[in-house]
Amino acid sequence: MDKPEFFHISVLSRELVHGLAIRPGGHYLDATVGGGGHSRLILEAAPDVEVTAIDRDESAIAAAKIVLTNFNSRINFIQSNFAEFNPKNVTFDGIIADLGVSSVHLDFPERGFSFRHEAALDMRMDRREDLTAADIINHWDEKELADIFFKYGEERLSRRIARRIVENRPFKTTTELAEAIAYSVPRQYRYGRIHPATRVFQALRIVVNQELTSLEKFIYQAPNWLKPSGRIGIISFHSLEDRIVKHRLKESPLLQVLTKKPIIPQEDELENNPRSRSAKLRLAERKI
């Protein structure tokens, strides 16, 4: 079977581009370029716009370069975690970050993000990093596992699941782990609305990639990179992220929050892209 091509549908695109109030000749930072969808819309929205596009995943950078090949002269790609990015003396007219797991992570089995395909327990967005999901599952103690499942997965059966994992490890593949989780919970929970491994896999992904720590650092620094009246838009996909975005934007002395409530997808987008259902966009503007 041929390997699937990198394909990612950008969420809340209309709302994000409108909220940025893109300026002709402006310079924008796409802090999570993914498949390049949001960057393309920014580049098309006004004449002579430039984009600096960063992502921690080399596959995302490679895919975005193909999607955005017609804009080569107006876009600069950098592989970097947005928390570690240093624009030096450059300031931006707008900054965006889409915090969602890219379709490449879910649809490429070998990356180990999805329990629907058999793959090694990896989950690293940046494969230059050392820590993998297998390291956590097979070597962390039962209390540590229960704590991260509860804190980052909001999993109420975290202790029960952690006990089953420790009793049955080592685990090599995503499907082995998912099956063990499924058989550690009550039958009615096993066949609920979502797969019982969903929250555990979310927690593992967050820890492997230090997602919430990186987000906190990014939002603390990003307002300093904006020009006066420049805007920042951040799309989150679960309550832990959205809580950080909401409070850190509000607490920044440099920003004026533009969205009292988060912007959510409209019906047509939900029909075309079910993965957008949990997306929330918050916007803020740099004070003059």
Side-chain angles (χ1 to χ4, degrees):
M1 181 181 292
D2 292 336
K3 181 181 284 191
E5 293 183 11
F6 188 112
F7 180 71
H8 179 66
I9 301 174
S10 299
V11 302
L12 290 166
S13 297
R14 295 168 301 194
E15 295 84 354
L16 181 61
V17 171
H18 178 265
L20 283 179
I22 295 170
R23 306 165 180 172
H27 188 180
Y28 293 82
L29 172 66
D30 186 343
T32 52
V33 71
H38 285 132
S39 280
R40 179 175 57 81
L41 292 172
I42 291 170
L43 290 160
E44 292 174 344
D48 301 322
V49 169
E50 294 183 15
V51 168
T52 294
I54 65 175
D55 204 288
R56 65 196 301 184
D57 190 321
E58 74 278 9
S59 299
I61 294 284
K65 285 181 177 179
I66 295 171
V67 170
L68 300 169
T69 187
N70 292 336
F71 302 98
N72 278 344
S73 63
R74 296 198 276 134
I75 187 162
N76 179 39
F77 293 97
I78 301 170
Q79 185 181 355
S80 173
N81 181 338
F82 59 16
E84 306 302 327
F85 177 64
N86 181 3
K88 299 179 181 176
N89 296 322
V90 177
T91 55
F92 300 98
D93 296 271
I95 298 171
I96 65 169
D98 178 348
L99 306 178
V101 179
S102 173
S103 296
V104 72
H105 299 135
L106 298 175
D107 296 339
F108 280 54
E110 67 269 22
R111 301 300 296 272
F113 286 88
S114 174
F115 49 79
R116 304 191 187 282
H117 307 283
E118 184 174 4
L121 283 163
D122 192 327
M123 297 195 191
R124 291 171 297 168
M125 291 182 180
D126 184 344
R127 287 182 281 191
R128 298 173 299 184
E129 300 291 338
D130 294 325
L131 183 67
T132 67
D135 295 330
I136 295 170
I137 286 296
N138 292 321
H139 300 293
W140 289 23
D141 67 35
E142 184 177 322
K143 183 181 184 301
E144 287 177 307
L145 292 176
D147 286 348
I148 66 169
F149 298 161
F150 183 78
K151 182 177 180 180
Y152 299 120
E154 300 178 296
E155 174 54 71
R156 58 187 180 86
L157 299 178
S158 59
R159 290 179 179 155
R160 185 169 180 164
I161 293 170
R163 188 179 314 120
R164 174 84 178 203
I165 288 171
V166 170
E167 289 171 352
N168 289 274
R169 65 190 186 186
F171 293 92
K172 293 183 178 180
T173 69
T174 53
T175 48
E176 286 176 349
L177 178 60
E179 184 177 7
I181 294 168
Y183 282 98
S184 70
V185 302
R187 186 176 180 84
Q188 67 272 21
Y189 192 75
R190 197 180 308 164
Y191 298 105
R193 187 175 60 86
I194 65 170
H195 191 286
T198 301
R199 295 185 180 92
V200 170
F201 271 61
Q202 173 182 297
L204 287 171
R205 193 199 77 227
I206 288 173
V207 174
V208 167
N209 297 289
Q210 301 182 347
E211 291 179 28
L212 301 186
T213 303
S214 294
L215 178 59
E216 292 265 14
K217 186 175 178 181
F218 169 70
I219 299 181
Y220 177 76
Q221 297 176 125
N224 296 294
W225 307 339
L226 283 169
K227 296 176 183 177
S229 300
R231 294 186 175 186
I232 182 169
I234 302 178
I235 299 171
S236 63
F237 286 82
H238 56 76
S239 60
L240 298 174
E241 290 175 338
D242 183 58
R243 195 175 303 133
I244 291 172
V245 175
K246 175 183 177 181
H247 291 296
R248 298 302 173 263
L249 291 181
K250 184 178 180 180
E251 292 165 2
S252 173
L254 300 177
L255 297 176
Q256 176 66 46
V257 174
L258 303 176
T259 45
K260 187 174 182 180
K261 292 184 177 180
I263 299 168
I264 59 176
Q266 300 300 304
E267 286 298 323
D268 63 330
E269 180 168 7
L270 291 172
E271 290 176 9
N272 293 325
N273 183 17
R275 285 180 181 171
S276 71
R277 65 186 179 277
S278 56
K280 294 180 179 179
L281 167 64
R282 294 186 185 271
L283 293 155
E285 183 174 281
R286 172 76 189 251
K287 296 175 183 176
I288 298 174

